[in-house]
Amino acid sequence: MSKFKTSVFIISLLPVSWLIYALFTHQLGANPIEAITRDLGDWAMRFLWLTLLITPLRWLTGWNQLMTIRRMLGLYVFFYAVLHVTMYLWLDQFFEWDEILKDIIKRPFITIGFFTFTALIPLVITSNNRMVKKLGGRRWKKLHRLTYAIAIATSVHFYMMVKQDKTEPLFYIALLVLLLGVRIYKYYQKQRLKLAPAS
Amino acid sequence: MNIKKNRWNEPAASDITDYDVYLKRRDFLAGGAALALGSVSGLALAKEAPAIPSPTWTDLVSSNLSIDEKKTSFRDVTTYNNFYEFGTGKDSPARNAVGFPDNSQPWKIVVEGECDNPGSYGYDDFIKPYPLEERIYRMRCVEGWSMVIPWVGFSLSDVLKQAKPNSKAKFVEFTTLYDPDIMIKRNVLDWPYTEGLRIDEAMNPLTMLAVGLYGQELLGQNGAPIRLVVPWKYGFKSIKSIVGIRFVEEMPQSAWMKAGPTEYGFYSNVNPDVPHPRWSQSRERRIGELRKRKTLMFNGYADHVASLYEGMDLVKNF
């Protein structure tokens, strides 16, 4: 692993390390379980936004080494999402499956969260080189466009979870609009070039 | 520098942080820039817990309405609050309401509307006629957490009787102070915050006006100097920092009803069988406990209040 990659790997572990430290030093307030669950969700979302930042950043800077960390960032999305969901299943619901099922059915933001998490699984399974080869680049790419849908669903999940002050979810939605917007812009630009008559 | 202390012997927020800086910090947070830096910085800011001040009252009578359950710690009661006028984070009110209310300015409470004896009172005159007692009540937030709080205060009915409501007084509407100079400027809710009770709910002996907790005068984040406590309803009904009490004929629209008419009803009784779209309401986390508890009908006060709702469809009248 390159030095760059190793640094990113270690830095990405800082949020969870901080949470563990904060928990044992009683810095998470009166409701630590809620604080941890929400924070882990926040970090899953932030890493997802970061993976979506790689491609536009590469266009902008031509810094191709960025591609070497995209898969790792994607796996960190899953890492934080798994911890987030585990907190919910364990310390929020205590593995009472009938309650959890009711929750998934009756509370729309949890319904969306559940499907969002589930959608991450095929992407993780197909994340290694062998699977990329097996699927073929084009099919793999097509499958991994699911990331866009996951990001949109994540925003909705967050927006619906917040009770009244929507400032924070709107901030992340604005970032996502930007991240997806540049892709749409680029796509249409390409189309126009294709359509332009050869001179 | 002459550091002004408030009545809890704490320096005012304006003495710790320059007022402009204080406001800018909040705007900065609201703008979301700090959020991008991550919750690490957000959590680090949360560490300014108020010291436990010495008791204001030492010989309080304990009410027979008190429950015998473990009290939530003073620290948790005073650092985990919903008081959106002072910020929307759970820890924001404790940080932003330091030194509120300003004791050099008189606190006025207006009693008006459909009554024969309306009036405008200074805080001291307002509470003087009523003997204070300690009442340990459960407090259940609509968000699925709960506390046990030893309030200091008196029954609201004492005040209402004094005002002599007339026959048109079917409901009571309460108003919180809104002062944009010291409170949030964004319209998170339609300020000022208002709440309402049906007159029989307001007259129920459980319904109280609290001026303190844990034997001490209320801190800003808990709704100083005077607030409502309605223990069988979700916490947001227990309106804080009251400046107005008005008798009305029509059911008033509360701030939360305006914000989410399908989510927050006028009654908002604690009811494990009526879920909220965001929270199931069948269980709750008692602050300080790990496992969740089953939520009790009317928050465990059914014996006192179930008769108020006889024959009513509580799913429809949520």
Side-chain angles (χ1 to χ4, degrees), chain B residues 114 165-171 247-250:
Chain B
E114 304 291 348
N166 64 34
S167 59
K168 281 185 179 167
K170 302 280 195 313
F171 296 90
F247 296 95
V248 292
E249 194 171 7
E250 303 291 326

Side-chain angles (χ1 to χ4, degrees), chain B residues 228-297:
Chain B
L228 188 70
V229 179
V230 198
W232 73 93
K233 292 174 180 283
Y234 292 119
F236 63 86
K237 294 291 291 184
S238 294
I239 185 169
K240 298 185 173 85
S241 303
I242 296 170
V243 291
I245 298 174
R246 178 199 285 267
F247 296 95
V248 292
E249 194 171 7
E250 303 291 326
M251 179 186 285
Q253 291 283 309
S254 71
W256 278 108
M257 287 165 78
K258 286 186 222 164
T262 56
E263 297 183 33
Y264 310 100
F266 176 80
Y267 289 97
S268 293
N269 293 316
V270 176
N271 188 338
D273 303 321
V274 178
H276 182 278
R278 209 171 291 112
W279 308 285
S280 93
Q281 306 303 22
S282 66
R283 291 181 298 168
E284 66 200 50
R285 169 160 289 125
R286 179 73 49 88
I287 294 300
E289 292 182 354
L290 182 65
R291 290 210 71 114
K292 288 195 168 176
R293 293 167 168 256
K294 284 216 174 317
T295 290
L296 304 171
M297 187 64 199

Side-chain angles (χ1 to χ4, degrees), chain A:
Chain A
M1 247 191 337
S2 70
K3 233 186 207 159
F4 174 57
K5 227 171 146 179
T6 314
S7 320
V8 174
F9 178 81
I10 291 169
I11 291 169
S12 302
L13 284 170
L14 289 181
V16 67
S17 316
W18 156 257
L19 274 177
I20 294 166
Y21 170 76
L23 176 68
F24 286 105
T25 51
H26 306 285
Q27 294 187 55
L28 295 174
N31 198 348
I33 294 171
E34 186 190 72
I36 294 173
T37 310
R38 292 210 176 156
D39 227 42
L40 290 168
D42 285 348
W43 282 107
M45 174 177 65
R46 289 180 188 130
F47 275 98
L48 181 53
W49 269 224
L50 280 176
T51 59
L52 290 171
L53 181 67
I54 297 289
T55 300
L57 206 60
R58 202 166 53 104
W59 291 338
L60 222 64
T61 62
W63 185 19
N64 287 328
Q65 208 193 347
L66 279 171
M67 282 308 281
T68 62
I69 61 162
R70 191 173 67 171
R71 169 162 44 193
M72 188 162 71
L73 291 177
L75 290 171
Y76 266 116
V77 175
F78 189 65
F79 173 73
Y80 282 101
V82 166
L83 292 178
H84 173 61
V85 171
T86 306
M87 283 300 293
Y88 165 75
L89 295 176
W90 175 30
L91 291 175
D92 203 54
Q93 299 294 339
F94 293 93
F95 300 114
E96 288 173 32
W97 297 106
D98 51 329
E99 285 289 328
I100 293 165
L101 197 69
K102 256 194 259 168
D103 238 16
I104 292 172
I105 295 166
K106 281 197 176 156
R107 296 161 69 190
F109 92 92
I110 298 205
T111 317
I112 292 170
F114 172 77
F115 284 109
T116 311
F117 177 71
T118 315
L120 283 172
I121 294 168
L123 302 191
V124 172
I125 292 171
T126 58
S127 67
N128 60 26
N129 288 338
R130 217 165 45 104
M131 286 305 281
V132 181
K133 245 188 214 155
K134 210 170 160 187
L135 280 172
R138 265 182 96 157
R139 269 163 70 202
W140 185 89
K141 227 173 161 178
K142 225 173 175 177
L143 174 67
H144 280 250
R145 286 208 184 108
L146 193 55
T147 312
Y148 305 140
I150 290 170
I152 292 166
T154 301
S155 312
V156 176
H157 171 66
F158 187 25
Y159 186 87
M160 289 176 84
M161 186 276 292
V162 171
K163 185 175 166 189
Q164 187 65 18
D165 184 6
K166 307 282 191 187
T167 316
E168 200 178 344
L170 285 174
F171 171 74
Y172 282 96
I173 287 170
L175 288 179
L176 183 63
V177 167
L178 216 69
L179 289 170
L180 298 184
V182 290
R183 287 174 164 81
I184 294 168
Y185 174 77
K186 188 101 174 174
Y187 174 80
Y188 280 108
Q189 221 182 18
K190 243 188 192 165
Q191 292 291 310
R192 215 176 306 141
L193 283 176
K194 265 192 217 161
L195 287 173
S199 53

